[in-house]
Amino acid sequence: MTSTIRVKLSLMMFLEFFIWGAWFVTLGTYLLRNLGASGTQVGVAFLTQSIGAIVAPFIVGLIADRFFSAQKILGVLHLAGAVLLWRASQAPDFSSFYPNILTYMILYMPTLALVNSIAFRQMQNPQKEFAPIRVLGTLGWIVAGLTIGWLNWEQSNSLQSTFLMAAGASALLGVFSFTLPATPPVKKGQSSSVGSLLGLDAIGMLKNRSYLTFFLASIAICIPLAFYYGFTNPFLNEVGMKAAAGVQSLGQVSELLFMLAIPLFFSKLGVKKMLAIGMAAWVLRYVCFAYGNGESGYWLLIAGIVLHGICYDFFFVTGQIYTDNLAGEQFKSSAQGFITLATYGVGMLIGTLLSGRIFDSYQLSAGTHDWRMIWLIPAGIAGAVLVLFLLLFKERNAAPASTEAAGVNATARLANAS
């Protein structure tokens, strides 16, 4: 890979995740403050991520893999996305906002797979070349959060600007995509079923009782995950944290550090301990939020944010490695699609709907909320999942794939690692 291509791919990753981080983190706060949305409506808005995740395999599998070059599809999707983000910023109420953001997420989620595909096709040794490029994506998310905090958009009630910033970056990436290395379709002329696009070819893996336990735990743990995505930013702003979106970027810094250490932890601790630590971190995180505040309990808020690296990497990245090792060569891709559909499709769908209803149920007078109960509920869910997992999951020692290689490949597939 030439240095020019490396720079282009790095910029592609930076913009891809800058766009998402620019509006997604503060979405809940924007909807509650600017559009007067209810908690249920906030949950429905975050549900668009799940809908996009379900639709993404069809766009990538039926179009990018068979008919058009990936970089051209990436460009068209981001140009269309720029228009939709601009329209969303102009929406006067939730009913006019929602169709724009739903359509946008249906177009955006496939781009997460497309940027990985474009990057991998230019690499001779992805195990060494991918991580330094993909890390620019996490940096893009961090920079987006820091920019929002630096410009004081949360305190000045200017979160409409987040959508305009994201729209500008999306337009830039849309144009820039046409300069990326050619990535022609790899399955031109081939046919595939709906089941294979959704990863259902790997459903036979559920005959393994331990994998079935992991699979169900993955769905269940995404229910409390939805609370974090949807309501952390409104919570931090309500309890008085300044530049909350910028402070939240500490979670991505933590994620980045722990992701680099995953191969070492994986070899030392094994699958069961890694997954259990990840779930335990979810419990601890929500307890920190439940008892934290903007004054004497400020350190608990920071601790809850920084735990993101363990929460996400130890469970989701480890889970992808476990899936990759267990699937075997024939079903590796299908298995990853299957687990992604289950977590970001089914699990997050349940979680977003539940979290919104709970948020509404614990609203107090003057627009405040009983945040202790709002956070103790997902802590309890994560704790129950952890206990059942520890009782039912039996780790097998054999692993057919190299831990280091599997770790890199699994991390790559986790396109929404933020």
Side-chain angles (χ1 to χ4, degrees), residues 197-212:
L197 291 173
L198 294 176
L200 300 184
D201 289 347
I203 200 168
M205 293 174 64
L206 298 182
K207 294 178 181 178
N208 181 315
R209 291 185 62 183
S210 287
Y211 189 78
L212 175 61

Side-chain angles (χ1 to χ4, degrees), residues 128-417:
K128 292 184 177 180
E129 295 176 287
F130 183 77
I133 290 174
R134 173 58 183 83
V135 76
L136 267 293
T138 302
L139 181 62
W141 186 289
I142 293 171
V143 170
L146 292 175
T147 300
I148 294 169
W150 178 60
L151 294 174
N152 204 35
W153 282 343
E154 290 160 289
Q155 279 67 45
S156 62
N157 201 30
S158 302
L159 288 178
Q160 179 188 28
S161 300
T162 62
F163 294 94
L164 297 175
M165 179 172 69
S170 186
L172 177 60
L173 180 53
V175 174
F176 178 70
S177 295
F178 291 97
T179 72
L180 294 171
T183 312
V186 294
K187 297 181 180 179
K188 194 171 185 178
Q190 298 181 25
S191 61
S192 62
S193 65
V194 171
S196 64
L197 291 173
L198 294 176
L200 300 184
D201 289 347
I203 200 168
M205 293 174 64
L206 298 182
K207 294 178 181 178
N208 181 315
R209 291 185 62 183
S210 287
Y211 189 78
L212 175 61
T213 300
F214 160 73
F215 181 82
L216 295 175
S218 296
I219 294 175
I221 206 68
C222 279
I223 296 173
L225 172 62
F227 284 76
Y228 178 77
Y229 280 164
F231 295 101
T232 300
N233 190 258
F235 161 65
L236 296 177
N237 277 287
E238 189 171 309
V239 300
M241 177 178 282
K242 295 182 179 180
V247 177
Q248 279 183 262
S249 66
L250 291 173
Q252 277 61 53
V253 175
S254 169
E255 174 194 325
L256 175 60
L257 295 176
F258 279 103
M259 189 178 295
L260 295 175
I262 280 290
L264 174 62
F265 282 116
F266 193 89
S267 62
K268 297 291 185 182
L269 299 176
V271 172
K272 185 172 184 177
K273 290 180 181 178
M274 289 281 287
L275 294 173
I277 290 171
M279 286 185 279
W282 282 108
V283 179
L284 181 58
R285 151 179 271 178
Y286 289 131
V287 170
C288 286
F289 282 172
Y291 291 95
N293 55 61
E295 298 174 355
S296 60
Y298 190 83
W299 69 273
L300 287 171
L301 302 181
I302 299 299
I305 292 170
V306 173
L307 277 169
H308 181 74
I310 300 177
C311 293
Y312 193 90
D313 292 342
F314 273 55
F315 189 86
F316 287 99
V317 176
T318 299
Q320 294 285 355
I321 296 173
Y322 174 54
T323 299
D324 192 78
N325 285 351
L326 194 64
E329 290 299 327
Q330 184 178 0
F331 296 114
K332 283 184 183 291
S333 296
S334 294
Q336 298 296 341
F338 187 42
I339 194 65
T340 300
L341 175 67
T343 53
Y344 286 95
V346 179
M348 286 290 288
L349 185 150
I350 298 170
T352 50
L353 295 176
L354 178 63
S355 62
R357 292 182 181 275
I358 289 174
F359 177 84
D360 284 338
S361 298
Y362 288 98
Q363 182 171 351
L364 305 176
S365 59
T368 59
H369 300 83
D370 183 355
W371 285 108
R372 179 164 296 179
M373 284 304 302
I374 291 173
W375 291 125
L376 287 178
I377 289 173
I381 295 172
V385 175
L386 171 61
V387 171
L388 291 173
F389 176 82
L390 289 172
L391 291 173
L392 299 175
F393 185 87
K394 306 296 181 184
E395 185 171 356
R396 299 291 183 265
N397 293 326
S402 160
T403 298
E404 180 180 358
V408 173
N409 291 336
T411 303
R413 292 189 191 95
L414 280 173
N416 51 351

Side-chain angles (χ1 to χ4, degrees), residues 15 18-24 78 81-83 85-86 104 153 160-173:
L15 290 172
F18 177 90
I19 292 165
W20 197 3
W23 66 273
F24 192 75
H78 275 298
V83 175
L85 286 169
W86 178 81
Y104 175 76
W153 282 343
Q160 179 188 28
S161 300
T162 62
F163 294 94
L164 297 175
M165 179 172 69
S170 186
L172 177 60
L173 180 53

